[in-house]
Amino acid sequence: MSEATLEISLTVNGEAVTKTVPVRQHLVDFLRTELGLTGSHLGCEHGVCGACSVRVDDAVVRGCLMLAVQADGAEVVTVEGLTETGEIADLQKNFVERNAMQCGYCTPGMLITASELLREPKPVSREEIRGHLSGNFCRCTGYHAIVDAVETTINNRLEEG
Amino acid sequence: MNKETPITLLDKPNSYVGRTLSRDAAKRAVAGRGRYTDDIMPARTLHAAFVRSPYGHAKILSIDVDAAKQQPGVALVMTGAELAEMCTGPWVGTLVCFDGMKSEPQHPMAIDRACWQGEPVVMVVASSRAEAEDAAELVTVEYEELPVVIDKETALDKDTPVIHPNLGDNLAFEKTIESGDVEKAVADADIVIEDTFTFGRHTAVSLEPRALLAEYDPGTERLTIHTSSQCPHMIQTVFARTLGVPEHNVRIVAPDVGGSFGLKIHTFGDEVAATAAAIKLARPVKFVADRLESFATDIHARENRVSGRIAVTKEGIITSMDIDVRSGAGAYSQYPRTSVFEANQILNITGGPYAHENYRAKTQVVYLNKVPTSQYRAVGHPIGNSVGESLVDQAAAACGIDPMEIRRRNVMHDDSYPRVSAAGIEMRDLSHQQCLETLVERMGYDALLEEQAEYRKKGIQRGIGIAAFIKGTAPGPAGYYGAGGAPISSQDSCTIKLEPSGGVICMVGVTDQGQGVDTVMGQIAAATLGVPMESVRVIEGDTDAVPYGGGTYASRATAIGGEATYQAAMTLRAEILEIAGVLLQAEPDTLDIVDGHVVDKGDTASRISLAEIGRIGHFQVAELPNHIQHTLSATHRFRLKDALYIFTNGIQGAYVEVDTDTGFIKLLNHWVIEDCGRVINPQLADEQVRGGCVQGLGGALYEECVYDAAGQLQNATLADYLTPMAGEMPDIEVAHIQTHTGVSELGAKGVGESGTGAAPAVVMNAVNDAIRPFGGKVTAQPMSPETILKALGKV
């Protein structure tokens, strides 16, 4: 049995991409193995841990629960893309300064999930930040430092208007 | 700081030691530029998938791989018997230091019999993981189910089947330690409390699963393995011995490691199999465990039942403690570190903060048809602390004494060291009293008690928990691994060198999994040499580059590796000053190094830069007299001499709210005061404690590998095995008391496991404090809502 494939065209981090992919390949395997975008990680491949979070058409999705063929025509943004555009440069700087990661494996997904709170920042409590991040598993930090980094970024953005 | 601690180079004003600095690795991680094992994709890489036993215990009658071999992309199908032919022999997970211990020889993949659900039986190697899995589904294995042993309490009963008939019974190990006269103390006591505690089976759940990429070059006979490991040298030695490859031909590289927590200090059969495939095929072979495989093959830990007893005077003075531990291991004792350390550590540390002199602790470790158990973060401590600290709380309640006060009356005094604990372990440089008084202050203890009382009036049940602890860190060679016969180094090493540019390369045997080990080693090296941090490059995790060392386990990296780095830097510094002395016509001991320049002591004006020393030392060596045959490099090794461990201590506090209708526990506040000796980087030390705490809280509240009566793991997904997420966890306040250890000049002890070791104890005490007015008491972890409601008599 030969592998069933389909051709897809999509935008990844602003670049047009056309590739023939196995129909059963999920989006993150596609990004990692076909495009070399290894910033998105696989932690569980059943949609719980959030390490594979990417942006698809402006929504944060679990890249392991979406097939690559479902992203045909979509606009996909990964942590590499967010880094290049500078959209979350302040959040990244605060993650580093606050040491809001240890092994770093959850970090790209955590950043992408946290970036949702930054797009139209409004005052949020630590509890709300914790609630928002509760779909992203971090085994190293205990979350306190991550909440600090996100809180600082939101407050700075609000102050700067 | 301990007033007797000598002033060293590390204590200079503006020293990098004691300062928060960011990690370089963090800057890569936030950009998605981390490089984990699975991110490395050499051309022509093949992928391994495994057929695993679906049964807890079964005889393998036949294996048919013909259909699998015909599948597209399949390069190799290998059975356990075929793999065994490539190996030098089975592993036996015993150590001679555990007297009388026994274990069945274990092959990397099952041959005639599978002994736990998930044990690898057949490996399929194909062009992609998906194709390997497709083909694996076509492998037919005929099994004959055998009776399983699942319950540790009945594992030694006469009518229970014996898993490994050669061993005679299911007993892996038993041990008793005894000091003083427990029975007399109990007979003489005013109050004796007895209780039984149970602890669920946990697993590490590193977010990056186990991962390995093996490459073999038949020309040079070079085997290169990239693997997510804490202990590259141990893997080098074990894989070389197991596969019969000369050790010096094996290179192990641990790139970025996505969490480890003790999981990645072990050896696993599927990883050996994938490596064997790479040798056989002379192509890169990768194996990355998926989450199901992780749950069913990563080491498990913590499954214990402990019966404990404490005797006290009516003034609350502890006169004795005794415990009886039944520890549930897996189907084999994990090679090479064994499956009995957890039980052994429970014996070592239970009641460890206290000055009582009568103690008896015994354990029996039994084999079960479950995943093999072994070391996982804070080995044994969550259990020993939970038992000891609950008994102390119950004694306090019986005496009518405040929980903080009973600890104040019983902890070892700060001026009483060195001394030997009731468990027979040498204790030195600890600070229980100072930690306790700091906790009282940080918690605002008296005000918190008042607040709790106010909430009680409103029908809101809040609890305050206290748990003092000790933690064994940085094991020495006298005790276990070295003396026990395992190829695991308890020493660690640093090679440091001055480059022609004046830059410094620092190569260390300890490894980083995100703790910031590389940053900490850089801080020690820069502070000692007197150079800017930016000019130091730390290299770790590559056996081709770094001197032999144990790697990172048991909170040893800073305590052992840090001292090696400090001593190596001191030696290099002396050589640099000797060369400077010749060039400057000055006595070396009148010179100092500041910010990358040699200066006169007490001055800051540069007399010669390290860049100039580097240039002359490497290129213009004719400027130096012949008697100076310098190397501009130094290697130093460090190990403990006589001590088993560098013990640390501390105390935790917790404030929780229990909903007595639903059984839900809300964690409101958490405090940790701990003494890891000299703190190198305060932020990194704090974060080790915080992350460790949450890992302990997960075990106390949510985590358990649940088996059914047939030996089937029931919850091998992240949706079913609950881990702590951001929404449930509290902020954690951390403070450090810094009593330098006297066993090194650096003075650092371990910090990585103190949070994990006592968090379950303190939260269990807090929960029990909350429900005590209702006559409720919880002694089982994880403390699920159901457990709480049962304790309250509501279900």
Side-chain angles (χ1 to χ4, degrees), chain B residues 228-539:
Chain B
S228 186
S229 175
Q230 299 170 241
C231 304
H233 279 115
M234 187 202 87
I235 296 292
Q236 178 190 38
T237 301
V238 170
F239 275 48
R241 289 184 183 181
T242 301
L243 289 163
V245 180
E247 189 172 305
H248 59 276
N249 285 357
V250 180
R251 177 189 183 195
I252 307 294
V253 184
D256 285 336
V257 173
S260 49
F261 319 111
L263 163 65
K264 294 169 180 176
I265 62 175
H266 303 293
T267 51
F268 294 90
D270 45 23
E271 297 180 9
V272 169
T275 304
I279 294 171
K280 194 174 177 79
L281 298 168
R283 282 179 66 177
V285 175
K286 183 181 279 186
F287 168 65
V288 182
D290 66 24
R291 190 51 60 186
L292 172 60
E293 286 178 302
S294 300
F295 277 109
T297 63
D298 289 359
I299 55 98
H300 289 181
R302 307 276 198 262
E303 183 180 349
N304 281 273
R305 183 267 303 150
V306 185
S307 304
R309 185 167 64 162
I310 189 170
V312 293
T313 66
K314 59 183 186 300
E315 292 78 26
I317 302 302
I318 302 168
T319 53
S320 83
M321 228 187 251
D322 59 301
I323 56 169
D324 185 349
V325 181
R326 175 61 65 91
S327 187
Y332 295 91
S333 174
Q334 184 77 14
Y335 180 83
R337 291 175 196 253
T338 82
S339 296
V340 306
F341 261 87
E342 184 133 86
N344 195 61
Q345 230 26 342
I346 295 168
L347 307 195
N348 281 341
I349 66 104
T350 302
Y354 305 109
H356 62 284
E357 289 176 348
N358 304 301
Y359 182 62
R360 182 172 62 226
K362 55 182 177 182
T363 186
Q364 288 181 312
V365 184
V366 298
Y367 289 113
L368 301 171
N369 289 111
K370 300 181 183 176
V371 175
T373 61
S374 201
Q375 284 87 319
Y376 165 47
R377 196 175 196 173
V379 186
H381 291 70
I383 296 152
N385 286 325
S386 293
V387 170
E389 292 305 284
S390 177
L391 290 173
V392 170
D393 260 20
Q394 293 186 45
C399 297
I401 299 173
D402 176 85
M404 197 74 89
E405 179 57 27
I406 196 171
R407 290 175 170 84
R408 188 180 277 126
R409 291 181 191 178
N410 284 286
V411 290
M412 294 177 181
H413 287 191
D414 293 358
D415 60 3
S416 67
Y417 305 103
R419 61 186 291 163
V420 175
S421 75
I425 310 257
E426 190 197 50
M427 297 287 157
R428 54 182 298 166
D429 312 313
L430 302 184
S431 58
H432 289 294
Q433 291 174 302
Q434 203 183 339
C435 286
L436 185 145
E437 299 308 337
T438 306
L439 180 68
V440 170
E441 185 190 318
R442 290 296 180 106
M443 287 178 87
Y445 188 65
D446 294 338
L448 204 61
L449 288 170
E450 284 171 25
E451 184 182 300
Q452 179 191 27
E454 287 302 311
Y455 275 103
R456 290 265 198 225
K457 287 179 196 161
K458 296 182 216 165
I460 294 170
Q461 310 309 330
R462 292 192 163 185
I464 300 169
I466 310 296
F469 66 89
I470 56 170
K471 173 73 191 71
T473 73
Y480 305 121
Y481 299 132
I488 301 163
S489 181
S490 56
Q491 64 79 31
D492 233 294
S493 310
C494 171
T495 296
I496 191 164
K497 45 185 194 170
L498 184 74
E499 299 293 276
S501 64
V504 174
I505 303 285
C506 178
M507 296 169 290
V508 294
V510 291
T511 55
D512 181 60
Q513 295 81 38
Q515 308 92 326
V517 169
D518 44 1
T519 304
V520 163
M521 296 305 136
Q523 288 180 248
I524 294 167
T528 309
L529 281 174
V531 301
M533 267 300 276
E534 301 75 46
S535 59
V536 179
R537 171 65 50 201
V538 177
I539 295 173

Side-chain angles (χ1 to χ4, degrees), chain A residues 68-89:
Chain A
V69 293
Q70 291 176 294
D72 186 33
E75 198 166 315
V76 176
V77 179
T78 70
V79 70
E80 291 92 340
L82 286 180
T83 303
E84 282 168 17
T85 62
E87 183 190 316
I88 56 165

